[in-house]
């Protein structure tokens, strides 16, 4: 019994027809039947016009809803029924007794076979497009059906090549009967295809179309039996009544159902699509959220509730999400939503969420929905669980990083060794094995403390922690397997290797470089001692020459004319200039050679002292000096710092432009590790391609007649700055556009060990 009920519900639906509809239909059929007693031609015209109207209605729906209808079956037969209806009109007009076609009485059966063949073939072919993504062109379909219809009509009316379907006195021809059976076979195949693809139709529409096809088959069977020359016997009438019911079922399925519930018709596979979409959404763990600012109301889909482990009855809110995020992600999400509300900027952020006692990752997106006037209606977006993808990406990154580092390790020219936070070796390359004289398997069992000869265990522990915190370059000593000690330079950086946090160390043997530095330092010391001696010892004979020239000038005062007196002035001035140059050279050689300990020097106090020494020039030139910024204390020699500031300020004052009010701006800035100083002036400026000469000894860019000087001041500044591991450079836009001298000095770094002072 349950099985029978299932079959009945499959074939007949309670809501397919109402009682009034059934009663009205029966009365209509009786009324149409009664017209046969008055005039069979009237009966035939009513029946055919009914089917023509339905055919044209199907076409109108299809052509006007072409881009909205996703059911390609409906689109295809929608075009076909236009031409089926056209042939049915000719069939109606050519029926025996109609005063239209008078040359032949039996065009009607020919047009009938043409229309039913086109109809049945179209219904079968249409199933080939159902459920596919094939593109249907309404223009192409119209042209194709138009050509087929034109060929059929021409073969009947013009060429008269269409086979005869009825012969007076004999009845139906074999061609007509065989074509009816061929049409029935085609309809049976269509009925089977309909059953196979029933999932693409609403159940009610499926039943109505199915019964429509069954009644079409009954119609064709009836038209294999009539024999009356007037084509008006009982079988002919019965066939037409079946056609009325068949077309009404088709009308009910497509037109009435389509108008009452267009979604079921026009989007017959929408429900299945929505189910597939929901299934895909669940598989992708993609949730939807909405926010309505006017009501301050949030709406979450089930996927979001599930992701955060919230009860379905919980009140959705932004705090439900924020409470699971770290502080940084909270700010990022709040800022993104704020920008979305105020500026309409779409966002896409990745969130690190703590849910179910563990860490999960989500991709959240958002955009604005506005009305036609551009006013904000609400915010909408998605939240997708990307935890698995994140884990997979992490795993792939680990593998790629390990492969990358292993390739780098084996191709590097330095000794690469990797160890963990305890100093235990994780990996080494062949270069490091050769550097220390150990085999790889021996080093993999060792700790860095076993070969480092500089750091004791406690210092080594601190050094490891320091290197793990930030990248570092430092020098140490390694003990080889044979006991020899070598100097090495280590570049250390914490990396992730094989999913583990380790310290990547690149070691370079600098023993030869150290020896060269010792030799160079000794050579520089000797050179500086020679420079000091020459500049110091040459001053005495120069002073003697200058003094005797001046005495000689006094002795011969009465005998000297103006030209000879000018010669004496040139000679004395030359001796003085040489003396000034020797003094500058002496100062240059003294940089870095004092034996005094470096101390903490107040840079502002040194700056004030420099201004005090330059007070005469400041008063004379009426220069305006501006100072800004923070002035730190640095580790240096006070005299060196004073000399540096005095030379930079003195140059800024000296190289002024006549007629332009001189102005100097000194800017001091302090960072975490260094002091930055800028001395800017509005003076003569520098041609950019001449900047490279500025910091060389005895190099001048201006003539001595225009500006006095020895050409050593900036070279002295460069030497002082480099002695303290700093940098000095100059910028200028060109002549008469001023200059900016920049100096950076480390706050804490101590210079190279100072040599003993030279005794003069």
């Amino acid at each position: 019994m349950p099985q029978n009920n299932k079959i009945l519900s499959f074939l007949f639906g309670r809501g397919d027809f109402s009682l009034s509809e059934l009663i009205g239909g029966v009365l209509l059929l009786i009324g149409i039947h009664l017209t046969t007693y008055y005039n069979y031609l009237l009966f035939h015209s009513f029946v055919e016009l009914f089917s023509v109207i339905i055919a044209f209605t199907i076409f109108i729906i299809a052509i006007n809803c072409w881009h909205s209808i996703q059911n390609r079956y409906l689109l295809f037969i929608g075009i076909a029924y236009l031409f089926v209806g056209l042939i049915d009109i000719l069939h109606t007009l050519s029926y025996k007794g109609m005063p239209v076609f008078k040359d032949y009485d039996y065009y009607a059966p020919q047009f009938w076979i043409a229309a039913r063949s086109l109809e049945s073939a179209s219904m079968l072919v249409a199933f080939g497009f159902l459920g596919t993504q094939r593109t249907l062109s309404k223009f192409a379909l119209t042209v194709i059906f138009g050509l087929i219809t034109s060929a059929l009509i021409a073969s009947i009316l013009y060429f008269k090549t269409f086979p005869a379907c009825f012969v007076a006195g004999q009845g139906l021809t074999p061609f007509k009967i065989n074509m009816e059976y061929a049409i029935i076979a085609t309809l049976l195949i269509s009925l089977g295809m309909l059953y196979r693809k029933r999932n693409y139709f609403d159940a009610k529409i499926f039943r109505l179309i199915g019964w429509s096809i069954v009644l079409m088959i009954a119609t064709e069977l009836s038209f294999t039996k009539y024999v009356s020359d007037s084509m008006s016997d009982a079988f002919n009438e019965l066939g037409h009544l079946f056609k009325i019911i068949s077309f009404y079922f088709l009308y009910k399925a497509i037109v009435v159902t389509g108008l009452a519930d267009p979604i079921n018709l026009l989007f017959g596979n929408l429900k299945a699509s929505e189910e597939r979409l929901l299934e895909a959404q669940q598989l992708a763990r993609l949730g939807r959220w909405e926010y309505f600012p006017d009501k301050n109301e949030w709406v979450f889909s089930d996927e979001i509730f599930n992701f955060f482990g919230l009860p379905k009855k919980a009140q959705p809110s932004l705090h439900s999400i924020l409470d699971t995020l770290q502080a940084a992600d909270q700010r990022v999400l709040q800022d993104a939503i704020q920008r979305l509300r105020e500026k309409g900027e779409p966002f896409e952020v990745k969130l690190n969420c703590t849910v179910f006692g563990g860490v999960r990752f989500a991709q959240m997106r958002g955009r604005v929905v506005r009305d036609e006037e551009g006013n904000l209606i609400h915010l909408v977006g998605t939240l997708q669980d990307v935890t698995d993808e994140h884990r997979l990406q992490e795993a792939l990154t680990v593998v790629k990083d390990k492969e990358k580092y292993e390739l780098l390790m084996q191709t590097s020219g330095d000794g690469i060794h990797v160890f963990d936070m305890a100093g235990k070796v994780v990996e080494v390359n062949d270069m490091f094995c050769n550097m220390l004289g150990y085999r790889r398997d021996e080093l993999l069992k060792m700790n860095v403390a076993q070969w480092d000869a500089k750091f004791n265990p406690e210092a080594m522990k601190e050094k490891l922690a320091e290197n793990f915190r930030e990248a570092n370059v430092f020098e140490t000593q390694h003990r080889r397997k044979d006991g020899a000690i070598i100097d090495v330079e280590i570049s250390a950086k914490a990396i992730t290797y094989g999913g583990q946090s380790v310290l990547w160390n690149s070691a370079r043997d600098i023993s030869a470089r150290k020896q060269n530095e010792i030799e160079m330092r000794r050579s520089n010391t000797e050179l500086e001692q020679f420079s000091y001696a020459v500049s110091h010892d040459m001053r005495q004979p120069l002073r003697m020459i200058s003094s005797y020239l001046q005495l000689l000038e006094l002795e011969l005062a009465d005998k000297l004319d103006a030209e000879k007196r000018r010669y004496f002035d040139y000679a004395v001035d030359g001796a003085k200039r040489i003396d000034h140059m020797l003094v500058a050279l002496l100062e240059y050689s003294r940089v870095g050679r004092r034996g005094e300990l470096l101390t903490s020097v107040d840079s502002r106090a040194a700056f004030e002292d420099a201004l005090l020494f330059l007070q005469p020039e400041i008063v004379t030139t009426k220069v305006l000096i501006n100072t800004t910024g923070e002035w730190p204390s640095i580790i240096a020699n006070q005299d060196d710092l004073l000399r540096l500031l005095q030379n930079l300020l003195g140059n800024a004052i000296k190289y002024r432009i006549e007629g332009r009010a001189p102005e100097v701006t000194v800017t001091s800035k302090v960072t975490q590790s260094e002091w930055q100083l800028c001395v800017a002036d509005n003076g003569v400026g520098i041609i950019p391609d001449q900047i490279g000469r500025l910091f060389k000894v005895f190099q001048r860019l201006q003539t001595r007649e225009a500006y006095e000087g020895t050409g050593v001041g900036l070279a002295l500044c460069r030497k002082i700055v480099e002695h303290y591991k700093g940098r000095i450079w100059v910028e200028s836009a060109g002549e008469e556009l001023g200059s900016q001298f920049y100096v950076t000095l480390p706050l804490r770094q101590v210079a190279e060990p100072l040599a003993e002072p030279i005794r003069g």
Side-chain angles (χ1 to χ4, degrees), residues 31-177:
I32 293 177
H33 166 69
L34 293 176
T35 61
T36 61
Y37 293 101
Y38 177 75
N39 188 311
Y40 192 83
L41 191 59
L42 179 62
F43 163 81
H44 181 267
S45 299
F46 276 150
V47 173
E48 294 301 332
L49 288 176
F50 177 81
S51 63
V52 167
I53 291 171
I54 289 180
F56 284 175
T57 303
I58 293 173
F59 166 76
I60 291 170
I61 289 179
I63 204 70
N64 286 284
C65 302
W66 190 269
H67 297 291
S68 301
I69 297 175
Q70 295 184 1
N71 192 318
R72 286 170 170 74
Y73 176 87
L74 177 60
L75 294 177
F76 191 90
I77 67 172
I79 298 293
Y81 266 98
L82 169 66
F83 297 93
V84 171
L86 290 174
I87 298 177
D88 274 344
I89 290 175
L90 293 175
H91 166 75
T92 304
L93 296 176
S94 63
Y95 207 75
K96 187 175 182 181
M98 294 290 286
V100 178
F101 300 99
K102 298 180 179 181
D103 59 326
Y104 182 56
D105 289 335
Y106 300 107
Y107 282 131
Q110 291 178 310
F111 281 122
W112 174 269
I113 292 297
R116 302 289 75 78
S117 299
L118 182 62
E119 180 183 23
S120 60
S122 299
M123 293 185 73
L124 180 60
V125 173
F127 282 109
F129 294 92
L130 187 62
T132 70
Q133 297 299 319
R134 297 175 187 171
T135 302
L136 289 177
S137 169
K138 56 185 175 182
F139 175 77
L141 284 177
T142 302
V143 171
I144 292 171
F145 276 110
L147 291 174
I148 294 173
T149 303
S150 299
L152 290 172
I153 295 173
S155 69
I156 295 172
L157 296 178
Y158 184 74
F159 296 107
K160 302 187 184 298
T161 56
F162 199 93
C165 295
F166 193 90
V167 177
Q170 297 180 8
L172 300 174
T173 65
F175 169 78
K176 168 73 161 59
I177 296 173

Side-chain angles (χ1 to χ4, degrees), residues 599-616:
T599 59
S600 178
V601 180
D602 185 341
S603 59
R604 181 69 189 193
F607 177 73
E608 296 294 343
D609 288 343
L611 290 178
L612 187 60
F613 279 108
L614 294 170
Q615 193 63 28

Side-chain angles (χ1 to χ4, degrees), residues 621 655-663 682-684 707 736:
T621 60
Y655 293 104
R656 61 191 181 278
I657 296 177
E658 192 68 30
R660 179 187 295 176
E663 184 175 351
N682 63 342
V684 296
Y707 300 96
E736 297 189 0

